[in-house]
PDB file of all heavy atoms in Angstrom:
ATOM      1  N   ALA A  17     109.063  95.387  93.239  1.00 95.00           N
ATOM      2  CA  ALA A  17     109.025  94.205  94.228  1.00 95.00           C
ATOM      3  C   ALA A  17     107.719  94.371  95.039  1.00 95.00           C
ATOM      4  O   ALA A  17     107.123  93.338  95.334  1.00 95.00           O
ATOM      5  CB  ALA A  17     110.262  94.243  95.129  1.00 95.00           C
ATOM      6  N   LEU A  18     107.204  95.555  95.345  1.00 91.00           N
ATOM      7  CA  LEU A  18     106.053  95.785  96.096  1.00 91.00           C
ATOM      8  C   LEU A  18     104.906  95.200  95.308  1.00 91.00           C
ATOM      9  O   LEU A  18     103.962  94.652  95.866  1.00 91.00           O
ATOM     10  CB  LEU A  18     105.818  97.259  96.364  1.00 91.00           C
ATOM     11  CG  LEU A  18     106.794  98.050  97.240  1.00 91.00           C
ATOM     12  CD1 LEU A  18     106.645  99.480  97.155  1.00 91.00           C
ATOM     13  CD2 LEU A  18     106.694  97.442  98.671  1.00 91.00           C
ATOM     14  N   ASN A  19     104.833  95.512  94.036  1.00 89.00           N
ATOM     15  CA  ASN A  19     103.740  94.962  93.073  1.00 89.00           C
ATOM     16  C   ASN A  19     103.766  93.478  93.004  1.00 89.00           C
ATOM     17  O   ASN A  19     102.822  92.797  93.049  1.00 89.00           O
ATOM     18  CB  ASN A  19     103.849  95.586  91.627  1.00 89.00           C
ATOM     19  CG  ASN A  19     103.727  96.993  91.584  1.00 89.00           C
ATOM     20  OD1 ASN A  19     103.486  97.675  92.578  1.00 89.00           O
ATOM     21  ND2 ASN A  19     103.866  97.653  90.441  1.00 89.00           N
ATOM     22  N   VAL A  20     104.965  92.864  92.948  1.00 92.00           N
ATOM     23  CA  VAL A  20     105.023  91.353  92.806  1.00 92.00           C
ATOM     24  C   VAL A  20     104.562  90.791  94.182  1.00 92.00           C
ATOM     25  O   VAL A  20     103.720  89.837  94.074  1.00 92.00           O
ATOM     26  CB  VAL A  20     106.488  90.996  92.509  1.00 92.00           C
ATOM     27  CG1 VAL A  20     106.742  89.417  92.677  1.00 92.00           C
ATOM     28  CG2 VAL A  20     106.977  91.466  91.235  1.00 92.00           C
ATOM     29  N   LYS A  21     104.961  91.370  95.122  1.00 91.00           N
ATOM     30  CA  LYS A  21     104.418  90.846  96.610  1.00 91.00           C
ATOM     31  C   LYS A  21     102.965  90.984  96.652  1.00 91.00           C
ATOM     32  O   LYS A  21     102.232  90.013  97.052  1.00 91.00           O
ATOM     33  CB  LYS A  21     105.178  91.470  97.755  1.00 91.00           C
ATOM     34  CG  LYS A  21     104.683  90.981  99.019  1.00 91.00           C
ATOM     35  CD  LYS A  21     105.408  91.650 100.195  1.00 91.00           C
ATOM     36  CE  LYS A  21     104.800  91.040 101.643  1.00 91.00           C
ATOM     37  NZ  LYS A  21     105.570  91.552 102.714  1.00 91.00           N
ATOM     38  N   ALA A  22     102.375  92.156  96.287  1.00 86.00           N
ATOM     39  CA  ALA A  22     100.957  92.461  96.408  1.00 86.00           C
ATOM     40  C   ALA A  22     100.122  91.447  95.583  1.00 86.00           C
ATOM     41  O   ALA A  22      99.025  91.168  95.858  1.00 86.00           O
ATOM     42  CB  ALA A  22     100.599  93.919  96.086  1.00 86.00           C
ATOM     43  N   ALA A  23     100.607  91.068  94.460  1.00 86.00           N
ATOM     44  CA  ALA A  23      99.951  90.345  93.428  1.00 86.00           C
ATOM     45  C   ALA A  23     100.145  88.865  93.548  1.00 86.00           C
ATOM     46  O   ALA A  23      99.512  88.140  92.806  1.00 86.00           O
ATOM     47  CB  ALA A  23     100.398  90.776  92.000  1.00 86.00           C
ATOM     48  N   ALA A  24     100.999  88.436  94.606  1.00 85.00           N
ATOM     49  CA  ALA A  24     101.290  87.017  94.626  1.00 85.00           C
ATOM     50  C   ALA A  24     100.084  86.070  94.782  1.00 85.00           C
ATOM     51  O   ALA A  24      99.170  86.329  95.426  1.00 85.00           O
ATOM     52  CB  ALA A  24     102.166  86.820  95.853  1.00 85.00           C
ATOM     53  N   GLY A  25     100.052  85.088  93.953  1.00 84.00           N
ATOM     54  CA  GLY A  25      99.088  83.998  93.886  1.00 84.00           C
ATOM     55  C   GLY A  25      97.736  84.512  93.246  1.00 84.00           C
ATOM     56  O   GLY A  25      96.906  83.659  93.250  1.00 84.00           O
ATOM     57  N   ILE A  26      97.715  85.564  92.630  1.00 84.00           N
ATOM     58  CA  ILE A  26      96.517  86.065  92.050  1.00 84.00           C
ATOM     59  C   ILE A  26      96.672  85.881  90.474  1.00 84.00           C
ATOM     60  O   ILE A  26      97.626  86.410  89.832  1.00 84.00           O
ATOM     61  CB  ILE A  26      96.203  87.437  92.309  1.00 84.00           C
ATOM     62  CG1 ILE A  26      95.957  87.758  93.852  1.00 84.00           C
ATOM     63  CG2 ILE A  26      94.905  87.948  91.569  1.00 84.00           C
ATOM     64  CD1 ILE A  26      95.833  89.062  94.251  1.00 84.00           C
ATOM     65  N   THR A  27      95.624  85.277  89.771  1.00 83.00           N
ATOM     66  CA  THR A  27      95.765  85.049  88.459  1.00 83.00           C
ATOM     67  C   THR A  27      94.846  85.887  87.643  1.00 83.00           C
ATOM     68  O   THR A  27      94.978  86.312  86.462  1.00 83.00           O
ATOM     69  CB  THR A  27      95.553  83.611  87.978  1.00 83.00           C
ATOM     70  OG1 THR A  27      94.221  83.197  88.445  1.00 83.00           O
ATOM     71  CG2 THR A  27      96.723  82.647  88.624  1.00 83.00           C
ATOM     72  N   ASP A  28      93.666  86.372  88.247  1.00 87.00           N
ATOM     73  CA  ASP A  28      92.795  87.364  87.675  1.00 87.00           C
ATOM     74  C   ASP A  28      93.284  88.702  87.619  1.00 87.00           C
ATOM     75  O   ASP A  28      93.733  89.266  88.652  1.00 87.00           O
ATOM     76  CB  ASP A  28      91.416  87.268  88.444  1.00 87.00           C
ATOM     77  CG  ASP A  28      90.437  88.112  87.807  1.00 87.00           C
ATOM     78  OD1 ASP A  28      89.923  87.861  86.714  1.00 87.00           O
ATOM     79  OD2 ASP A  28      90.183  89.219  88.398  1.00 87.00           O
ATOM     80  N   GLU A  29      93.506  89.356  86.418  1.00 88.00           N
ATOM     81  CA  GLU A  29      94.061  90.622  86.335  1.00 88.00           C
ATOM     82  C   GLU A  29      93.350  91.690  87.072  1.00 88.00           C
ATOM     83  O   GLU A  29      94.095  92.491  87.758  1.00 88.00           O
ATOM     84  CB  GLU A  29      94.274  91.008  84.897  1.00 88.00           C
ATOM     85  CG  GLU A  29      95.124  92.242  84.704  1.00 88.00           C
ATOM     86  CD  GLU A  29      95.595  92.455  83.316  1.00 88.00           C
ATOM     87  OE1 GLU A  29      95.370  91.533  82.379  1.00 88.00           O
ATOM     88  OE2 GLU A  29      96.230  93.472  83.098  1.00 88.00           O
ATOM     89  N   LYS A  30      92.039  91.734  87.043  1.00 88.00           N
ATOM     90  CA  LYS A  30      91.345  92.803  87.752  1.00 88.00           C
ATOM     91  C   LYS A  30      91.570  92.717  89.219  1.00 88.00           C
ATOM     92  O   LYS A  30      91.779  93.535  89.860  1.00 88.00           O
ATOM     93  CB  LYS A  30      89.802  92.705  87.388  1.00 88.00           C
ATOM     94  CG  LYS A  30      89.079  93.779  88.216  1.00 88.00           C
ATOM     95  CD  LYS A  30      87.615  93.962  87.859  1.00 88.00           C
ATOM     96  CE  LYS A  30      86.772  94.930  88.519  1.00 88.00           C
ATOM     97  NZ  LYS A  30      87.414  95.687  89.658  1.00 88.00           N
ATOM     98  N   GLU A  31      91.401  91.497  89.808  1.00 87.00           N
ATOM     99  CA  GLU A  31      91.652  91.088  91.229  1.00 87.00           C
ATOM    100  C   GLU A  31      93.065  91.536  91.577  1.00 87.00           C
ATOM    101  O   GLU A  31      93.270  92.116  92.573  1.00 87.00           O
ATOM    102  CB  GLU A  31      91.407  89.677  91.476  1.00 87.00           C
ATOM    103  CG  GLU A  31      91.597  89.373  92.840  1.00 87.00           C
ATOM    104  CD  GLU A  31      91.476  87.818  93.215  1.00 87.00           C
ATOM    105  OE1 GLU A  31      91.098  86.996  92.307  1.00 87.00           O
ATOM    106  OE2 GLU A  31      91.799  87.452  94.277  1.00 87.00           O
ATOM    107  N   MET A  32      94.040  91.244  90.643  1.00 86.00           N
ATOM    108  CA  MET A  32      95.316  91.574  90.981  1.00 86.00           C
ATOM    109  C   MET A  32      95.532  93.135  91.042  1.00 86.00           C
ATOM    110  O   MET A  32      96.138  93.622  91.930  1.00 86.00           O
ATOM    111  CB  MET A  32      96.336  91.123  89.814  1.00 86.00           C
ATOM    112  CG  MET A  32      97.687  91.546  90.080  1.00 86.00           C
ATOM    113  SD  MET A  32      98.802  91.317  88.622  1.00 86.00           S
ATOM    114  CE  MET A  32      98.009  92.399  87.431  1.00 86.00           C
ATOM    115  N   LEU A  33      94.942  93.811  90.198  1.00 85.00           N
ATOM    116  CA  LEU A  33      95.082  95.322  89.991  1.00 85.00           C
ATOM    117  C   LEU A  33      94.384  95.878  91.353  1.00 85.00           C
ATOM    118  O   LEU A  33      94.844  96.948  91.815  1.00 85.00           O
ATOM    119  CB  LEU A  33      94.564  95.910  88.748  1.00 85.00           C
ATOM    120  CG  LEU A  33      95.418  95.610  87.552  1.00 85.00           C
ATOM    121  CD1 LEU A  33      94.584  96.026  86.284  1.00 85.00           C
ATOM    122  CD2 LEU A  33      96.696  96.207  87.624  1.00 85.00           C
ATOM    123  N   ASP A  34      93.224  95.324  91.678  1.00 83.00           N
ATOM    124  CA  ASP A  34      92.589  95.839  92.928  1.00 83.00           C
ATOM    125  C   ASP A  34      93.502  95.581  94.088  1.00 83.00           C
ATOM    126  O   ASP A  34      93.483  96.453  94.938  1.00 83.00           O
ATOM    127  CB  ASP A  34      91.149  95.162  93.106  1.00 83.00           C
ATOM    128  CG  ASP A  34      90.191  95.606  92.089  1.00 83.00           C
ATOM    129  OD1 ASP A  34      90.457  96.630  91.423  1.00 83.00           O
ATOM    130  OD2 ASP A  34      89.026  94.849  91.955  1.00 83.00           O
ATOM    131  N   LYS A  35      94.065  94.486  94.352  1.00 82.00           N
ATOM    132  CA  LYS A  35      94.957  94.172  95.350  1.00 82.00           C
ATOM    133  C   LYS A  35      96.115  95.090  95.393  1.00 82.00           C
ATOM    134  O   LYS A  35      96.513  95.621  96.519  1.00 82.00           O
ATOM    135  CB  LYS A  35      95.302  92.666  95.431  1.00 82.00           C
ATOM    136  CG  LYS A  35      96.190  92.444  96.757  1.00 82.00           C
ATOM    137  CD  LYS A  35      96.098  90.997  97.113  1.00 82.00           C
ATOM    138  CE  LYS A  35      96.766  90.865  98.481  1.00 82.00           C
ATOM    139  NZ  LYS A  35      97.350  89.553  98.654  1.00 82.00           N
ATOM    140  N   ILE A  36      96.748  95.251  94.306  1.00 80.00           N
ATOM    141  CA  ILE A  36      97.901  96.219  94.265  1.00 80.00           C
ATOM    142  C   ILE A  36      97.460  97.591  94.578  1.00 80.00           C
ATOM    143  O   ILE A  36      98.217  98.349  95.439  1.00 80.00           O
ATOM    144  CB  ILE A  36      98.527  96.201  92.752  1.00 80.00           C
ATOM    145  CG1 ILE A  36      99.300  94.824  92.589  1.00 80.00           C
ATOM    146  CG2 ILE A  36      99.432  97.371  92.680  1.00 80.00           C
ATOM    147  CD1 ILE A  36      99.781  94.753  91.108  1.00 80.00           C
ATOM    148  N   HIS A  37      96.335  97.955  94.013  1.00 82.00           N
ATOM    149  CA  HIS A  37      95.758  99.343  94.540  1.00 82.00           C
ATOM    150  C   HIS A  37      95.644  99.441  96.120  1.00 82.00           C
ATOM    151  O   HIS A  37      96.102 100.386  96.616  1.00 82.00           O
ATOM    152  CB  HIS A  37      94.441  99.606  93.976  1.00 82.00           C
ATOM    153  CG  HIS A  37      93.863 100.883  94.295  1.00 82.00           C
ATOM    154  ND1 HIS A  37      93.167 101.157  95.369  1.00 82.00           N
ATOM    155  CD2 HIS A  37      93.947 102.067  93.641  1.00 82.00           C
ATOM    156  CE1 HIS A  37      92.787 102.442  95.408  1.00 82.00           C
ATOM    157  NE2 HIS A  37      93.215 103.052  94.329  1.00 82.00           N
ATOM    158  N   ASP A  38      94.994  98.371  96.711  1.00 81.00           N
ATOM    159  CA  ASP A  38      94.872  98.312  98.173  1.00 81.00           C
ATOM    160  C   ASP A  38      96.200  98.455  98.878  1.00 81.00           C
ATOM    161  O   ASP A  38      96.310  99.129  99.929  1.00 81.00           O
ATOM    162  CB  ASP A  38      94.058  97.118  98.627  1.00 81.00           C
ATOM    163  CG  ASP A  38      92.739  97.192  98.089  1.00 81.00           C
ATOM    164  OD1 ASP A  38      92.190  98.261  97.701  1.00 81.00           O
ATOM    165  OD2 ASP A  38      92.052  96.131  98.103  1.00 81.00           O
ATOM    166  N   GLN A  39      97.257  97.824  98.361  1.00 77.00           N
ATOM    167  CA  GLN A  39      98.484  97.675  99.108  1.00 77.00           C
ATOM    168  C   GLN A  39      99.278  99.023  98.804  1.00 77.00           C
ATOM    169  O   GLN A  39     100.055  99.381  99.635  1.00 77.00           O
ATOM    170  CB  GLN A  39      99.265  96.530  98.387  1.00 77.00           C
ATOM    171  CG  GLN A  39      98.747  95.190  98.731  1.00 77.00           C
ATOM    172  CD  GLN A  39      99.005  94.827 100.178  1.00 77.00           C
ATOM    173  OE1 GLN A  39      99.954  95.125 100.810  1.00 77.00           O
ATOM    174  NE2 GLN A  39      97.940  94.200 100.641  1.00 77.00           N
ATOM    175  N   LEU A  40      98.958  99.735  97.649  1.00 76.00           N
ATOM    176  CA  LEU A  40      99.793 100.953  97.379  1.00 76.00           C
ATOM    177  C   LEU A  40      99.120 102.245  97.653  1.00 76.00           C
ATOM    178  O   LEU A  40      99.588 103.312  97.242  1.00 76.00           O
ATOM    179  CB  LEU A  40     100.316 100.865  95.988  1.00 76.00           C
ATOM    180  CG  LEU A  40     101.277  99.691  95.705  1.00 76.00           C
ATOM    181  CD1 LEU A  40     101.635  99.677  94.294  1.00 76.00           C
ATOM    182  CD2 LEU A  40     102.413  99.549  96.609  1.00 76.00           C
ATOM    183  N   VAL A  41      97.886 102.209  98.269  1.00 80.00           N
ATOM    184  CA  VAL A  41      97.185 103.451  98.557  1.00 80.00           C
ATOM    185  C   VAL A  41      98.164 104.451  99.322  1.00 80.00           C
ATOM    186  O   VAL A  41      98.804 104.142 100.155  1.00 80.00           O
ATOM    187  CB  VAL A  41      95.943 103.153  99.342  1.00 80.00           C
ATOM    188  CG1 VAL A  41      95.388 104.386  99.915  1.00 80.00           C
ATOM    189  CG2 VAL A  41      94.845 102.465  98.560  1.00 80.00           C
ATOM    190  N   GLY A  42      97.999 105.669  98.630  1.00 77.00           N
ATOM    191  CA  GLY A  42      98.866 106.788  99.274  1.00 77.00           C
ATOM    192  C   GLY A  42     100.336 106.889  98.838  1.00 77.00           C
ATOM    193  O   GLY A  42     101.087 107.769  99.347  1.00 77.00           O
ATOM    194  N   THR A  43     100.737 105.950  97.840  1.00 74.00           N
ATOM    195  CA  THR A  43     102.036 105.987  97.461  1.00 74.00           C
ATOM    196  C   THR A  43     102.289 106.971  96.190  1.00 74.00           C
ATOM    197  O   THR A  43     103.395 107.302  95.950  1.00 74.00           O
ATOM    198  CB  THR A  43     102.571 104.557  97.167  1.00 74.00           C
ATOM    199  OG1 THR A  43     101.844 104.174  96.153  1.00 74.00           O
ATOM    200  CG2 THR A  43     102.624 103.650  98.411  1.00 74.00           C
ATOM    201  N   CYS A  44     101.161 107.189  95.620  1.00 76.00           N
ATOM    202  CA  CYS A  44     101.283 108.041  94.401  1.00 76.00           C
ATOM    203  C   CYS A  44      99.861 108.496  93.985  1.00 76.00           C
ATOM    204  O   CYS A  44      98.855 108.061  94.516  1.00 76.00           O
ATOM    205  CB  CYS A  44     102.023 107.411  93.205  1.00 76.00           C
ATOM    206  SG  CYS A  44     101.168 106.183  92.404  1.00 76.00           S
ATOM    207  N   ALA A  45      99.737 109.344  92.921  1.00 83.00           N
ATOM    208  CA  ALA A  45      98.448 109.884  92.469  1.00 83.00           C
ATOM    209  C   ALA A  45      97.476 108.883  91.957  1.00 83.00           C
ATOM    210  O   ALA A  45      96.292 108.984  92.098  1.00 83.00           O
ATOM    211  CB  ALA A  45      98.639 111.004  91.492  1.00 83.00           C
ATOM    212  N   GLY A  46      98.048 107.831  91.582  1.00 80.00           N
ATOM    213  CA  GLY A  46      97.384 106.627  90.966  1.00 80.00           C
ATOM    214  C   GLY A  46      96.652 105.884  91.878  1.00 80.00           C
ATOM    215  O   GLY A  46      95.755 105.026  91.709  1.00 80.00           O
ATOM    216  N   TYR A  47      97.164 105.838  93.184  1.00 79.00           N
ATOM    217  CA  TYR A  47      96.649 105.116  94.316  1.00 79.00           C
ATOM    218  C   TYR A  47      96.090 105.873  95.429  1.00 79.00           C
ATOM    219  O   TYR A  47      96.675 105.944  96.497  1.00 79.00           O
ATOM    220  CB  TYR A  47      97.638 104.025  94.793  1.00 79.00           C
ATOM    221  CG  TYR A  47      98.182 103.115  93.639  1.00 79.00           C
ATOM    222  CD1 TYR A  47      99.464 103.275  93.174  1.00 79.00           C
ATOM    223  CD2 TYR A  47      97.287 102.223  93.152  1.00 79.00           C
ATOM    224  CE1 TYR A  47      99.944 102.336  92.180  1.00 79.00           C
ATOM    225  CE2 TYR A  47      97.756 101.412  92.200  1.00 79.00           C
ATOM    226  CZ  TYR A  47      98.993 101.464  91.741  1.00 79.00           C
ATOM    227  OH  TYR A  47      99.533 100.693  90.615  1.00 79.00           O
ATOM    228  N   VAL A  48      94.969 106.504  95.097  1.00 80.00           N
ATOM    229  CA  VAL A  48      94.424 107.514  96.130  1.00 80.00           C
ATOM    230  C   VAL A  48      93.715 106.769  97.214  1.00 80.00           C
ATOM    231  O   VAL A  48      93.239 105.708  96.999  1.00 80.00           O
ATOM    232  CB  VAL A  48      93.490 108.566  95.498  1.00 80.00           C
ATOM    233  CG1 VAL A  48      94.154 109.472  94.426  1.00 80.00           C
ATOM    234  CG2 VAL A  48      92.381 107.860  94.754  1.00 80.00           C
ATOM    235  N   THR A  49      93.562 107.362  98.357  1.00 76.00           N
ATOM    236  CA  THR A  49      92.853 106.836  99.507  1.00 76.00           C
ATOM    237  C   THR A  49      91.370 106.804  99.138  1.00 76.00           C
ATOM    238  O   THR A  49      90.863 107.860  98.646  1.00 76.00           O
ATOM    239  CB  THR A  49      93.091 107.742 100.733  1.00 76.00           C
ATOM    240  OG1 THR A  49      94.379 107.646 100.958  1.00 76.00           O
ATOM    241  CG2 THR A  49      92.326 106.968 101.994  1.00 76.00           C
ATOM    242  N   PRO A  50      90.693 105.718  99.315  1.00 67.00           N
ATOM    243  CA  PRO A  50      89.280 105.699  98.951  1.00 67.00           C
ATOM    244  C   PRO A  50      88.497 106.566  99.987  1.00 67.00           C
ATOM    245  O   PRO A  50      88.836 106.759 101.127  1.00 67.00           O
ATOM    246  CB  PRO A  50      88.849 104.285  99.091  1.00 67.00           C
ATOM    247  CG  PRO A  50      90.058 103.449  99.570  1.00 67.00           C
ATOM    248  CD  PRO A  50      91.169 104.515  99.660  1.00 67.00           C
ATOM    249  N   VAL A  51      87.547 107.304  99.421  1.00 59.00           N
ATOM    250  CA  VAL A  51      86.690 108.228 100.224  1.00 59.00           C
ATOM    251  C   VAL A  51      85.314 107.509 100.551  1.00 59.00           C
ATOM    252  O   VAL A  51      84.894 106.828  99.659  1.00 59.00           O
ATOM    253  CB  VAL A  51      86.587 109.624  99.625  1.00 59.00           C
ATOM    254  CG1 VAL A  51      87.937 110.344  99.597  1.00 59.00           C
ATOM    255  CG2 VAL A  51      85.884 109.494  98.331  1.00 59.00           C
ATOM    256  N   SER A  52      84.852 107.845 101.647  1.00 49.00           N
ATOM    257  CA  SER A  52      83.535 107.165 101.947  1.00 49.00           C
ATOM    258  C   SER A  52      82.418 108.083 101.115  1.00 49.00           C
ATOM    259  O   SER A  52      82.626 109.095 100.818  1.00 49.00           O
ATOM    260  CB  SER A  52      83.262 107.167 103.489  1.00 49.00           C
ATOM    261  OG  SER A  52      83.024 108.565 103.873  1.00 49.00           O
ATOM    262  N   ARG A  53      81.245 107.371 101.156  1.00 48.00           N
ATOM    263  CA  ARG A  53      80.096 108.087 100.494  1.00 48.00           C
ATOM    264  C   ARG A  53      79.758 109.365 101.270  1.00 48.00           C
ATOM    265  O   ARG A  53      79.403 110.395 100.668  1.00 48.00           O
ATOM    266  CB  ARG A  53      78.932 107.176 100.506  1.00 48.00           C
ATOM    267  CG  ARG A  53      77.898 107.580  99.602  1.00 48.00           C
ATOM    268  CD  ARG A  53      76.822 106.541  99.218  1.00 48.00           C
ATOM    269  NE  ARG A  53      77.366 105.571  98.222  1.00 48.00           N
ATOM    270  CZ  ARG A  53      77.140 104.270  98.120  1.00 48.00           C
ATOM    271  NH1 ARG A  53      76.155 103.684  98.843  1.00 48.00           N
ATOM    272  NH2 ARG A  53      77.588 103.577  97.199  1.00 48.00           N
ATOM    273  N   ASP A  54      79.946 109.336 102.527  1.00 54.00           N
ATOM    274  CA  ASP A  54      79.558 110.541 103.472  1.00 54.00           C
ATOM    275  C   ASP A  54      80.511 111.676 103.136  1.00 54.00           C
ATOM    276  O   ASP A  54      80.095 112.865 102.946  1.00 54.00           O
ATOM    277  CB  ASP A  54      79.614 110.147 104.904  1.00 54.00           C
ATOM    278  CG  ASP A  54      78.412 109.271 105.325  1.00 54.00           C
ATOM    279  OD1 ASP A  54      77.416 109.222 104.558  1.00 54.00           O
ATOM    280  OD2 ASP A  54      78.638 108.587 106.396  1.00 54.00           O
ATOM    281  N   GLU A  55      81.822 111.296 102.923  1.00 54.00           N
ATOM    282  CA  GLU A  55      82.704 112.434 102.578  1.00 54.00           C
ATOM    283  C   GLU A  55      82.436 113.092 101.230  1.00 54.00           C
ATOM    284  O   GLU A  55      82.652 114.193 101.046  1.00 54.00           O
ATOM    285  CB  GLU A  55      84.163 111.818 102.533  1.00 54.00           C
ATOM    286  CG  GLU A  55      84.701 111.440 104.039  1.00 54.00           C
ATOM    287  CD  GLU A  55      86.050 110.767 103.868  1.00 54.00           C
ATOM    288  OE1 GLU A  55      86.107 109.715 103.219  1.00 54.00           O
ATOM    289  OE2 GLU A  55      86.947 111.221 104.659  1.00 54.00           O
ATOM    290  N   VAL A  56      82.099 112.205 100.212  1.00 48.00           N
ATOM    291  CA  VAL A  56      81.836 112.625  99.014  1.00 48.00           C
ATOM    292  C   VAL A  56      80.518 113.692  99.031  1.00 48.00           C
ATOM    293  O   VAL A  56      80.496 114.718  98.345  1.00 48.00           O
ATOM    294  CB  VAL A  56      81.530 111.503  97.961  1.00 48.00           C
ATOM    295  CG1 VAL A  56      80.821 112.123  96.615  1.00 48.00           C
ATOM    296  CG2 VAL A  56      82.727 110.706  97.731  1.00 48.00           C
TER     297      VAL A  56
END
């Protein structure tokens, strides 16, 4: 249900996966918190 809500209204698959990623950051290993260039 979280995925369905995050992807609502999006038809482009890449855009949908990016939005789902943003919504689910920190929920599992596949959705890691983005790191800044300075941290890297």
Side-chain angles (χ1 to χ4, degrees):
L18 296 167
N19 294 358
V20 172
K21 181 178 180 178
I26 302 171
T27 56
D28 177 75
E29 189 164 357
K30 180 173 178 356
E31 181 183 351
M32 177 196 65
L33 291 173
D34 288 344
K35 181 151 188 208
I36 288 173
H37 181 274
D38 293 345
Q39 296 289 319
L40 299 180
V41 165
T43 62
C44 73
Y47 300 113
V48 296
T49 305
V51 294
S52 71
R53 197 167 279 156
D54 291 340
E55 290 173 306
V56 172

